[in-house]
Amino acid sequence: MVTRLQQVVKGAALNFRRTPAEISAAAARLTAREKQVHDKVAAQAQPTFANTIAPLARLENASGGEAALISFLQNVSTDKQVRDASSEAEKALALSRMTSQMRSDVYGSVKKVLDDTQGLKELAPEDRALAESMARQYRRSGLGLSADQRAKLEHTRKRLIELGIEFSRNTNEADGVELFTRAELAGLPDSYFCERATETVDGVEKFVVTTKYPDLVPVMQMAKSEATRRRMLLAEETR
């Protein structure tokens, strides 16, 4: 018999060993599932909490973990092809989410649930709050605007998504580099200097420190020199 604990542990095991093909397939599967659920909600003849609000909430809950994982790989994978696939997957998921949030037919079903005052009174307080929150999210996505205004908003949001992902990709791929003497890195443990690259500048040996987190974080936390920490912070913020 599989215990509840075993189920939780098994479900919580994160698989970071994804190939680019697996990442792309996962993104396609998630976007297809999102469209399927939204199409079904939009087609409801008599929208209720059970056939409209609940499926949308379950979709968000079921898809969030995997979507976050395949998007996160762009920040941690040592394989550039995996990072690129993860970045493209995040873009596809974000655009799909934006499109879903701006579907007037889905919002129509959600709004009908809210317009049924008697049905709302019969819901548990938590369910009623969920329905109201969901309707509010659709309004904030522009569903209360005219068609022309929604089109302009959709274009702007799409462009912001593209620019945001491009910015993240550029900052992830670009590493700042600073050179420090051993004295300038006072406070760092000996293990920090094991196998660390060095360069000789004007006859002085200096250690190569990049803005990658394994280099950056120890310096920011343990370096005694304020000037050293300032240089690393500046390198990180301007890379």
Side-chain angles (χ1 to χ4, degrees), residues 186-198:
L188 277 295
D190 292 339
S191 59
Y192 186 80
F193 301 94
C194 293
E195 300 182 2
R196 180 166 298 281
T198 61

Side-chain angles (χ1 to χ4, degrees), residues 38 94 96-104 107 133-147 149-158 161:
H38 281 79
S96 175
R97 190 178 310 113
M98 182 203 71
T99 300
S100 297
Q101 290 173 343
M102 299 190 73
R103 286 186 56 168
S104 57
Y107 175 57
S133 174
M134 191 172 291
R136 184 165 55 250
Q137 289 173 5
Y138 277 104
R139 290 195 300 273
R140 288 175 175 174
S141 295
L143 272 301
L145 302 175
S146 67
Q149 289 175 318
R150 285 202 306 273
K152 291 180 181 179
L153 177 61
E154 183 174 1
H155 174 77
T156 301
R157 292 183 65 189
K158 181 179 180 180
I161 289 172

Side-chain angles (χ1 to χ4, degrees), residues 157-186:
R157 292 183 65 189
K158 181 179 180 180
R159 185 59 179 149
L160 286 173
I161 289 172
E162 293 172 344
L163 289 174
I165 292 174
E166 182 179 354
F167 175 81
S168 295
R169 177 186 292 173
N170 290 339
T171 55
N172 286 337
E173 296 298 328
D175 291 317
V177 177
E178 291 290 325
L179 302 177
F180 295 102
T181 64
R182 184 67 175 83
E184 289 173 322
L185 294 171

Side-chain angles (χ1 to χ4, degrees), residues 31-209:
T31 54
R33 175 57 178 163
E34 183 174 40
K35 185 177 185 305
Q36 180 184 36
V37 172
H38 281 79
D39 286 346
K40 187 173 182 179
V41 167
Q44 292 296 335
Q46 294 182 319
T48 64
F49 180 90
N51 64 26
T52 298
I53 306 299
L56 292 174
R58 283 196 294 266
L59 171 68
E60 182 179 358
N61 185 57
S63 303
E66 186 169 15
L69 174 58
I70 62 177
S71 298
F72 181 63
L73 288 173
Q74 64 186 289
N75 300 315
V76 297
S77 177
T78 57
D79 187 328
K80 187 177 186 306
Q81 290 184 325
V82 170
R83 295 197 302 272
D84 289 345
S86 174
S87 181
E88 288 301 315
E90 182 184 25
K91 178 179 177 180
L93 292 171
L95 290 174
S96 175
R97 190 178 310 113
M98 182 203 71
T99 300
S100 297
Q101 290 173 343
M102 299 190 73
R103 286 186 56 168
S104 57
D105 52 354
V106 176
Y107 175 57
S109 293
V110 172
K111 191 171 184 301
K112 287 181 180 179
V113 176
L114 270 293
D115 290 341
D116 180 8
T117 54
Q118 182 57 40
L120 277 181
K121 290 179 181 179
E122 296 173 357
L123 292 177
E126 295 84 355
D127 292 343
R128 185 164 56 252
L130 174 60
E132 292 171 347
S133 174
M134 191 172 291
R136 184 165 55 250
Q137 289 173 5
Y138 277 104
R139 290 195 300 273
R140 288 175 175 174
S141 295
L143 272 301
L145 302 175
S146 67
D148 288 343
Q149 289 175 318
R150 285 202 306 273
K152 291 180 181 179
L153 177 61
E154 183 174 1
H155 174 77
T156 301
R157 292 183 65 189
K158 181 179 180 180
R159 185 59 179 149
L160 286 173
I161 289 172
E162 293 172 344
L163 289 174
I165 292 174
E166 182 179 354
F167 175 81
S168 295
R169 177 186 292 173
N170 290 339
T171 55
N172 286 337
E173 296 298 328
D175 291 317
V177 177
E178 291 290 325
L179 302 177
F180 295 102
T181 64
R182 184 67 175 83
E184 289 173 322
L185 294 171
L188 277 295
D190 292 339
S191 59
Y192 186 80
F193 301 94
C194 293
E195 300 182 2
R196 180 166 298 281
T198 61
E199 293 185 15
T200 301
V201 180
D202 297 331
V204 179
E205 182 184 51
K206 295 190 175 184
F207 292 91
V208 177
V209 181

